[in-house]
Amino acid sequence: MFVKITSKTLYSLHFLCALTIKAKSNPQKPVHLREIAKEYDIPFKFLEQIAILMKSVGLVRGTRGKTGGYQLAETPESINLARIIKATEGELLPWADIEGGNEVIGGILHTIFQEQRDEIDRKLSAISLSQIAEKARQRLEPAPMFYL
Amino acid sequence: MFVKITSKTLYSLHFLCALTIKAKSNPQKPVHLREIAKEYDIPFKFLEQIAILMKSVGLVRGTRGKTGGYQLAETPESINLARIIKATEGELLPWADIEGGNEVIGGILHTIFQEQRDEIDRKLSAISLSQIAEKARQRLEPAPMFYL
DNA sequence: ATTGTCCATATCAGTTTGATATGATATATT
DNA sequence: AATATATCATATCAAACTGATATGGACAAT
């Protein structure tokens, strides 16, 4: 593939959206991973790893113990898609060996893609978690009554 | 990684550039893979696979027998970078499962990236093999005499 | 016939990805 | 204090992908 999004990113977005949506109706209260795993059909143990990763990059806070769980460490408005994807997929710029420099074709490609990468970074940075969560919430809403 | 270029693409570009450059001084004459593999330091057997791939997508022609070799199947002006990368890395659009549709986050990401992918496609399509080969030729040129 | 090329698969080691297993640590409840 | 339930942290594993190698067939000029 050329542009690649792994399921780790998908799961991470589900996770963060869940925290965002649930915080609306009940702020302050941590959300259990089991709950999210069940609702979004994510393998629980995999979700645990993702939660730890999200915590390590400062996007969420974990509370231990029986009434523990996770909640966003920042407002969903201040968290953008670029930060999330960089956490899950690594830096947007890939070819470390190409950047080496003296390799001819690599150098050419590097020049060609530099501009494009900056553009992608800008666009992803302009999309906030709150926007994504809002769209997800809309799509998840049950059909209006008058369809029944 | 997020945007990824494998060595198969690098080697392919070396291969196609070699054919382009050599065709200038000696058109019609097929170029041996062994020659290219040596000059560009590409594992010969790997290059063979790449040559077959390039042939299967119609970018080069192979001539068998003792005086055989490879040559471009089209003019280097009509071959663009998008075609080459699609041949080596697959379609620029990756997430077949995401495109499925009814998955919420996947659908959102698909929308977000659609525009960007088209943009990348346009930019890569605008860069021809002849341009790349020309740049490569310039960089490969020995230093001018008056530097000695 | 022999040689040197393309052509086509099969295989293999290393890495990445998705997922599971095991257990430690922390805290609210009983 | 004991227990239940949560986060936290590694270790491990199978499948897929990547880079590379191996083996052998088909073809044409000498």
Side-chain angles (χ1 to χ4, degrees):
Chain A
M1 322 277 185
F2 181 69
V3 178
K4 180 175 167 191
I5 293 289
T6 67
S7 64
K8 187 183 280 187
T9 297
L10 274 303
Y11 289 153
S12 296
L13 286 171
H14 276 137
F15 172 54
L16 296 172
C17 280
L19 294 188
T20 304
I21 293 171
K22 286 178 189 296
K24 269 197 170 180
S25 62
N26 205 336
Q28 316 298 355
K29 186 189 168 193
V31 186
H32 299 162
L33 282 189
R34 283 226 136 76
E35 194 180 330
I36 298 175
K38 195 174 182 183
E39 284 183 23
Y40 291 84
D41 200 33
I42 304 172
F44 172 68
K45 277 298 183 182
F46 197 13
L47 180 58
E48 261 193 321
Q49 290 184 128
I50 287 168
I52 291 173
L53 171 62
M54 291 296 104
K55 189 193 164 196
S56 75
V57 297
L59 290 178
V60 303
R61 262 200 318 269
T63 309
R64 291 214 224 187
K66 195 164 187 177
T67 58
Y70 284 94
Q71 48 196 319
L72 292 180
E74 304 178 20
T75 65
E77 287 76 22
S78 70
I79 296 175
N80 67 58
L81 190 51
R83 280 177 71 189
I84 301 169
I85 292 183
K86 281 176 186 171
T88 54
E89 307 287 343
E91 277 301 309
L92 303 189
L93 32 107
W95 32 68
D97 49 338
I98 296 179
E99 297 201 84
N102 56 0
E103 201 272 319
V104 178
I105 296 289
I108 293 173
L109 283 183
H110 182 261
T111 303
I112 290 172
F113 279 101
Q114 184 63 55
E115 187 186 341
Q116 202 61 37
R117 288 204 305 253
D118 293 347
E119 179 75 14
I120 290 178
D121 202 334
R122 269 195 302 277
K123 291 204 176 178
L124 294 185
S125 297
I127 298 168
S128 71
L129 175 59
S130 60
Q131 290 174 264
I132 298 173
E134 175 60 21
K135 284 192 184 179
R137 199 187 55 74
Q138 285 170 11
R139 292 213 206 179
L140 281 176
E141 257 178 5
M145 294 283 280
F146 46 81
Y147 276 138
L148 302 178
Chain B
M1 320 280 185
F2 183 68
V3 177
K4 182 175 167 189
I5 293 289
T6 67
S7 66
K8 186 182 280 186
T9 297
L10 276 301
Y11 289 153
S12 296
L13 286 171
H14 276 136
F15 172 53
L16 296 172
C17 280
L19 294 188
T20 304
I21 293 171
K22 286 179 190 294
K24 269 198 170 178
S25 62
N26 205 337
Q28 316 299 358
K29 186 188 168 194
V31 186
H32 299 162
L33 284 189
R34 281 227 136 75
E35 195 181 330
I36 298 175
K38 194 173 181 182
E39 284 183 23
Y40 291 85
D41 200 35
I42 303 173
F44 172 68
K45 277 298 182 181
F46 198 13
L47 180 59
E48 263 194 319
Q49 290 184 123
I50 287 168
I52 292 173
L53 172 63
M54 292 296 105
K55 188 194 164 198
S56 73
V57 297
L59 291 178
V60 302
R61 262 200 320 267
T63 309
R64 293 214 223 185
K66 195 164 186 176
T67 58
Y70 284 94
Q71 47 197 320
L72 291 181
E74 305 179 20
T75 65
E77 286 77 21
S78 69
I79 296 175
N80 66 59
L81 189 52
R83 281 178 70 189
I84 301 170
I85 293 183
K86 282 176 187 173
T88 54
E89 307 286 342
E91 277 302 310
L92 304 188
L93 31 107
W95 32 69
D97 49 338
I98 296 179
E99 297 201 85
N102 57 1
E103 203 270 320
V104 178
I105 295 290
I108 293 171
L109 283 183
H110 181 261
T111 304
I112 290 172
F113 280 100
Q114 184 63 56
E115 188 185 340
Q116 201 61 37
R117 287 203 306 251
D118 293 346
E119 179 74 15
I120 291 177
D121 202 334
R122 268 194 302 276
K123 290 205 175 176
L124 294 184
S125 296
I127 298 168
S128 71
L129 175 59
S130 59
Q131 290 176 263
I132 298 174
E134 176 59 21
K135 284 192 184 180
R137 200 189 52 76
Q138 284 171 10
R139 292 213 205 179
L140 280 176
E141 256 177 6
M145 294 283 281
F146 46 82
Y147 276 137
L148 301 178

